[in-house]
């Protein structure tokens, strides 16, 4: 009798798994690019403000919890979802959609960095990493913050995708919902961000296996060692891009994180302005494009947007780089190279010696 009861359940599970493995296809009678926006507090009434870490729902009467998403049903879908952990960037979203990728940006607890991310570093060498993980997961990883599940990135993204599946069925957002209906298909997620966002993206991908990690101008947390933890996401799935005038690069923060993530196993650091795609299949990309010697512009220039460098005709010069970061086959890798002896791993000790 128990076997007879178990059989229908097993068939349901197998059917769901088979459905999840079917390649994604659009069936949109009027294909176009869809841009969608909603407030997190409207999608999920459980969400809360946390003013103690500058995580607000409204400020000066204006919503602070807007979330953005877009998909282009005119482009053959890859069946992958980019979750962007930084402010909305229309040029980035447009390009990601042109690659056949879905993309969304969630409102999650990232304002804490202004409170806790200051020097000197605390004794705990995973202090910021624990806060990042709690902000991403909504689980209790740090005693410094109290971010419940509905306010963590994972649940916010899950609730947003469920909302999008209903509001925009043409975009087939339902493809990214797990068969059990309890979360996202993280194996189909590309987690990405810039600066503070790229650092959280890396920390999250060490904890949770994802399809790929795309890190612009990062990661940092230069006094911490979580970058060297055994990652749930294989190292060949981490891709990074920085400008050489960026303070994080000149300070040795990025080269350190990249080596702790073991990205040197997949090729040398490659200057994209001197080597064409596919850049020797490496995971570590840099640029020295002209930004007028402006370190702040250099920091933002690697992401599609107003700070990005254009050629004489007005076109962005790093279109091939951006496509590579999000679409290059993860099993195509460069030849391993030894660690750079000039890239300091113990910046905490170096800071103490210099009196910081």
């Amino acid at each position: 009798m128990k076997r007879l009861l178990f059989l229908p359940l097993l068939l349901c599970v197998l059917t769901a798994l088979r459905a999840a493995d079917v390649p994604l296809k659009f069936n949109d009678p009027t294909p176009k690019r869809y841009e969608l926006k909603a407030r997190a507090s409207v999608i999920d009434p459980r969400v809360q403000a946390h003013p103690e870490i500058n995580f607000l729902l409204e400020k000066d009467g204006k919503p602070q919890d807007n979330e953005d998403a877009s998909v282009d049903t005119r482009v053959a879908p890859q069946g992958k979802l980019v979750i962007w952990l930084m402010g909305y960037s229309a040029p980035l979203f447009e390009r990601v959609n042109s690659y056949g990728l879905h993309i969304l940006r969630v409102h999650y607890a990232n304002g804490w960095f202004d409170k806790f991310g200051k020097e000197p570093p605390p004794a705990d060498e995973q202090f910021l990493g624990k806060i990042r993980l709690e902000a991403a997961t909504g689980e209790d990883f740090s005693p410094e913050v109290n971010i419940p599940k509905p306010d963590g990135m994972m649940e916010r993204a899950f609730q947003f995708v469920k909302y999008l599946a209903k509001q925009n069925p043409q975009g087939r957002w339902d493809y990214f919902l797990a068969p059990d209906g309890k979360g996202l298909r993280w194996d189909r997620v590309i987690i990405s961000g810039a600066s503070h966002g790229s650092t959280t993206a890396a920390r999250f991908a060490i904890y949770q296996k994802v399809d790929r990690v795309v890190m612009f101008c990062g990661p940092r947390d230069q006094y911490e060692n979580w970058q060297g933890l055994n990652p749930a996401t294989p190292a060949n799935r981490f891709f990074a891009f920085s400008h050489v005038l960026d303070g994080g690069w000149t300070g040795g923060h990025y080269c350190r994180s990249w080596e702790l993530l073991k990205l040197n196993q997949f090729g040398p650091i490659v200057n994209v302005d001197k080597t064409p795609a596919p850049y020797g299949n490496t995971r570590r990309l840099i640029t020295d494009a002209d930004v007028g010697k402006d370190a702040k512009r250099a920091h933002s220039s690697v992401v599609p947007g107003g700070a990005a460098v254009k050629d004489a005709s007005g076109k962005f010069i790093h279109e091939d780089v951006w496509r590579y970061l999000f679409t290059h086959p993860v099993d195509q890798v460069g030849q391993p190279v030894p660690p750079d002896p000039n890239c300091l791993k113990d910046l905490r000790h170096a800071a103490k010696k210099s009196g910081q």
Side-chain angles (χ1 to χ4, degrees), residues 265-287:
Q265 294 178 348
F266 313 112
I269 294 171
V270 171
N271 187 324
V272 299
D273 304 316
K274 296 176 172 58
T275 302
Y279 317 112
N281 299 317
T282 192
R283 299 301 186 259
R284 300 180 294 166
L285 302 177
I286 58 170
T287 173

Side-chain angles (χ1 to χ4, degrees), residues 212-227:
R212 180 187 304 244
V213 192
V214 179
M215 306 172 295
F216 294 99
C217 47
R220 276 186 148 155
D221 289 0
Q222 63 270 19
Y223 301 126
E224 305 212 354
N225 59 19
W226 57 258
Q227 299 92 332

